């Protein structure tokens, strides 16, 4: 049997993962799957959390090489906390995203990491930023990343609506992650979701994805 | 990442990098495809109909290498004609799919085309068969081509058993539209073919008439 190369040949090294961030009315949801695999053959962790908190109301998801991403985030966290002390106020979401972008762009030859940054600040409310592999920074209302994201572009395009309620957005994010995990063999496990609003941060762990998959793949019910 | 010195279209073969879909409903099938044919980064044909008739009520959807796919379709068209004359009646969809599968399997190292075969016959009604790499499997619906990766999530979520003809057509058009928006190798217009016991209906939906979704 030939060895099939998945996205790692097309996109460069990609963490087997699915990450997602979406803005709803009053906040933002950011989430990921929980599988870490070696070479797509062995699941080294079933419950790894890929959503990292970089400040009180700012979270990041990593894509690309996990090692590079962790190093960048560590550096970004210390930059941000220093910045926040200097400004005497919580950092803006775009500040966090820019710090990541600077690190990715200045070191683009050595690094292979991209990020989704989501958070809430008092100036612009809920925001989502994407820092791509080469160091581009753009703001979007909904965005997906990782190898599993390929399979849910159609779903996200069709189902995302601006100004959803918190519950609708959570259901949308859960469905999207479940569908991606159902098709991508290097994404899986549980869904880690974080809801960020003006009031605070709420962490959700969704384990019942098997039930969702049963609904989506009706033929399993026969 | 790995830099290529020459432009792609000089070395790339002509592919129907594409999105194709076929779905079964109670009483028939609906097939759909986009219309873009690319050679690397260049679009060499923007209006190609990738839904090819194998018989009056059996069609196939082409994807992969354009030359390979067309050749398989023509060969099976001929073989089916002979076969239907031998048995004296319209061929079964399964026979057409088996003929496609035989060629795909026998020449699997040389060919790189994937055909989805769908049609209607008196015995089993509407049927959809996938023949990827020489596998033959009947499915309620099948998607294929480069654009299909982007809509797996959508079709998994939206497909329900027991849709009627109109709902199936809308489902196919929605899926094609989403895939064409995201896949660089799919685009142009959408071709639809609906086959049921009463006949075969071909339809073209122009680019600006395709459904639009959330645009950032």
């Amino acid at each position: 049997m030939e060895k099939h190369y998945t996205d790692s040949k097309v996109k460069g090294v990609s963490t087997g993962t699915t990450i997602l961030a979406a803005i709803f009315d009053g906040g933002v949801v950011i989430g990921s799957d929980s599988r870490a695999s070696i070479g797509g053959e062995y699941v080294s962790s079933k419950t790894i959390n890929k959503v990292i908190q970089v400040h009180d109301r700012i979270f990041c998801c990593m894509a690309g090489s996990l090692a590079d991403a962790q190093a960048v985030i560590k550096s970004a966290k210390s930059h941000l906390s220093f910045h926040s002390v200097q400004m005497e106020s919580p950092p803006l979401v775009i500040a966090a995203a820019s710090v990541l972008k600077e690190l990715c762009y200045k070191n683009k030859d050595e690094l292979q990491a991209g990020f989704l940054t989501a958070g809430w600040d008092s100036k612009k409310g809920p925001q989502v930023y994407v820092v791509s592999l080469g160091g581009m920074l753009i703001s979007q209302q909904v965005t997906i990343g990782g190898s599993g994201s390929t399979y849910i572009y159609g779903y996200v395009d069709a189902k995302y609506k601006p100004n959803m309620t918190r519950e609708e957005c959570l259901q949308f994010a859960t469905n999207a992650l479940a569908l991606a995990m159902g098709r991508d063999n290097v994404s899986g496990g549980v869904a880690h979701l974080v809801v960020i609003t003006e009031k605070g941060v709420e962490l959700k762990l969704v384990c019942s994805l098997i039930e969702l998959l049963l609904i989506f793949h009706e033929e399993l019910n026969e | 990442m790995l830099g290529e010195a020459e432009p792609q279209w000089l070395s790339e073969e002509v592919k129907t990098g594409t999105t194709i879909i076929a779905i079964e409903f109670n009483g028939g099938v609906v097939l759909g495809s986009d219309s873009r044919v690319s050679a690397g980064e260049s679009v060499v044909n923007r209006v190609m109909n990738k839904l090819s008739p194998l018989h009056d009520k059996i069609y196939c959807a082409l994807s992969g290498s354009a030359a390979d796919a067309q050749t398989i379709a023509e060969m099976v068209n001929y073989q089916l004609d002979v076969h239907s004359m031998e048995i004296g009646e319209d061929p079964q969809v399964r026979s057409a799919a088996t003929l496609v599968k035989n060629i795909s399997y026998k020449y699997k190292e040389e060919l790189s085309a994937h055909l989805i075969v769908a049609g209607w016959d008196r015995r089993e009604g509407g049927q959809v068969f996938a023949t990827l790499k020489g596998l033959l499997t009947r499915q309620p619906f099948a998607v294929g081509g480069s654009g299909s990766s982007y809509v797996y999530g959508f079709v998994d979520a939206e497909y329900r058993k027991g849709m009627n003809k109109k709902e199936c057509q809308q489902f196919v058009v929605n899926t094609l539209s989403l895939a064409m928006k995201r896949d660089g190798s799919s685009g142009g217009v959408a071709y639809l073919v609906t086959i049921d016991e009463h006949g075969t209906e071909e339809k073209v939906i122009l680019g600006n008439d395709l459904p639009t979704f959330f645009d950032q």
Side-chain angles (χ1 to χ4, degrees):
Chain A
M1 204 171 78
E2 323 157 322
K3 194 137 194 193
H4 284 283
Y5 297 103
T6 54
D7 289 52
S8 52
K9 203 177 185 193
V10 178
K11 287 204 251 183
V13 176
S14 181
T15 42
T17 194
T18 310
I19 52 181
L20 168 156
I23 297 181
F24 63 89
D25 186 17
V28 58
V29 170
I30 180 168
S32 78
D33 72 308
S34 71
R35 179 174 291 183
S37 59
I38 300 181
E41 281 166 1
Y42 173 68
V43 176
S44 52
S45 170
K46 292 180 273 190
T47 52
I48 190 174
N49 189 351
K50 302 175 194 177
V51 186
I52 314 284
Q53 183 164 25
V54 294
H55 209 265
D56 293 347
R57 296 238 192 320
I58 308 178
F59 280 73
C60 270
C61 274
M62 345 185 236
S65 151
L66 263 179
D68 286 347
Q70 283 185 338
V72 171
I73 286 195
K74 190 169 173 203
S75 172
K77 262 176 154 172
S78 77
H79 273 282
L80 261 184
S81 70
F82 185 62
H83 169 77
S84 145
V85 164
Q86 274 193 313
M87 303 292 285
E88 293 181 11
S89 70
L92 299 177
V93 186
I94 191 167
S98 296
V99 167
L100 291 167
K101 182 263 288 176
E102 279 300 304
L103 289 164
C104 288
Y105 183 69
K106 291 261 156 63
N107 301 298
K108 60 159 52 164
D109 294 331
E110 285 92 6
L111 289 175
Q112 280 249 312
F115 300 91
L116 299 190
T117 311
W120 186 95
D121 64 43
S122 50
K123 188 170 170 194
K124 279 193 173 171
Q127 298 144 77
V128 169
Y129 293 94
V130 185
V131 178
S132 68
L133 246 50
M136 173 184 77
L137 171 64
I138 53 172
S139 167
Q140 296 195 292
Q141 293 219 293
V142 61
T143 187
I144 51 182
S147 59
S149 67
T150 323
Y151 305 103
I152 49 173
Y153 273 107
Y155 181 79
V156 168
D157 283 345
K159 292 292 166 177
Y160 177 77
K161 307 268 175 306
N163 297 322
M164 288 192 278
T165 67
R166 183 180 170 282
E167 281 64 37
E168 287 172 340
C169 197
L170 268 172
Q171 190 60 52
F172 161 77
T174 313
N175 288 350
L177 287 172
L179 288 164
M181 291 188 224
R183 286 289 179 181
D184 183 25
N185 64 331
V186 287
S187 296
V190 300
H192 290 285
L193 292 165
V194 176
V195 184
I196 311 167
T197 57
E198 178 178 3
K199 297 196 189 67
V201 163
E202 190 190 330
L203 274 65
K204 279 183 119 55
L205 184 74
V206 183
C207 304
S208 57
L209 295 170
I210 297 291
E211 288 155 20
L212 263 181
L213 283 174
L214 282 176
I215 296 172
F216 287 137
H217 296 272
E218 288 176 349
E219 58 263 31
L220 291 172
N221 293 338
E222 283 152 35
Chain B
M1 255 190 67
L2 303 163
E4 301 274 301
E6 57 169 12
Q8 275 189 312
W9 55 265
L10 278 177
S11 49
E12 289 285 317
E13 70 167 305
V14 174
K15 281 185 174 279
T16 53
T18 191
T19 310
I20 51 175
I21 174 171
I23 178 170
E24 172 193 325
F25 63 90
N26 189 7
V29 293
V30 179
L31 291 102
S33 84
D34 73 307
S35 67
R36 179 173 292 184
V37 181
S38 49
E41 288 152 1
S42 176
V43 176
V44 294
N45 185 342
R46 58 189 168 97
V47 286
M48 169 163 178
N49 190 342
K50 300 173 193 178
L51 303 176
S52 195
L54 296 177
H55 203 82
D56 296 339
K57 290 214 173 48
I58 309 175
Y59 270 65
C60 69
L62 315 172
S63 76
S65 154
D68 290 349
Q70 279 191 332
T71 308
I72 299 175
E74 279 169 16
M75 281 173 67
V76 173
N77 189 345
Y78 164 75
Q79 289 170 352
L80 259 189
D81 270 347
V82 171
H83 171 71
S84 82
M85 274 189 266
E86 283 174 353
I87 60 174
E89 59 178 13
D90 283 342
Q92 292 184 46
V93 185
R94 185 173 280 272
S95 315
T98 306
L99 289 169
V100 172
K101 180 265 288 178
N102 288 343
I103 301 176
S104 300
Y105 182 70
K106 187 167 180 195
Y107 300 102
K108 76 190 303 201
E109 304 302 325
E110 291 99 329
L111 295 174
S112 66
H114 173 210
L115 273 67
I116 297 179
V117 179
W120 182 93
D121 62 45
R122 269 183 309 127
R123 281 190 218 196
E124 302 275 333
Q127 300 144 75
V128 170
F129 290 88
T131 66
L132 183 63
K133 299 257 181 186
L135 160 80
L136 177 65
T137 165
R138 181 176 171 189
Q139 299 174 190
F141 73 91
V143 292
S146 56
S148 66
S149 319
Y150 302 101
V151 290
Y152 271 117
F154 179 75
V155 298
D156 282 343
E158 291 296 291
Y159 172 76
R160 295 171 332 268
K161 260 174 42 162
M163 287 197 276
N164 64 30
K165 179 161 90 164
K166 271 209 128 16
E167 289 170 332
C168 280
Q169 287 173 329
Q170 191 57 50
F171 175 79
V172 166
V173 168
N174 287 347
T175 310
L176 286 173
S177 177
L178 287 164
M180 281 156 65
K181 200 162 81 92
R182 285 292 181 177
D183 181 28
S185 313
S186 300
V189 304
Y191 287 101
L192 236 70
V193 167
T194 312
I195 310 173
D196 58 20
E197 67 174 308
H198 305 295
T200 307
E201 182 200 330
E202 294 193 7
K203 211 156 68 140
V204 182
I205 301 175
L206 298 181
N208 57 334
D209 295 329
L210 286 170
T212 52
F213 298 90
F214 169 70
D215 269 310
Q216 287 143 320

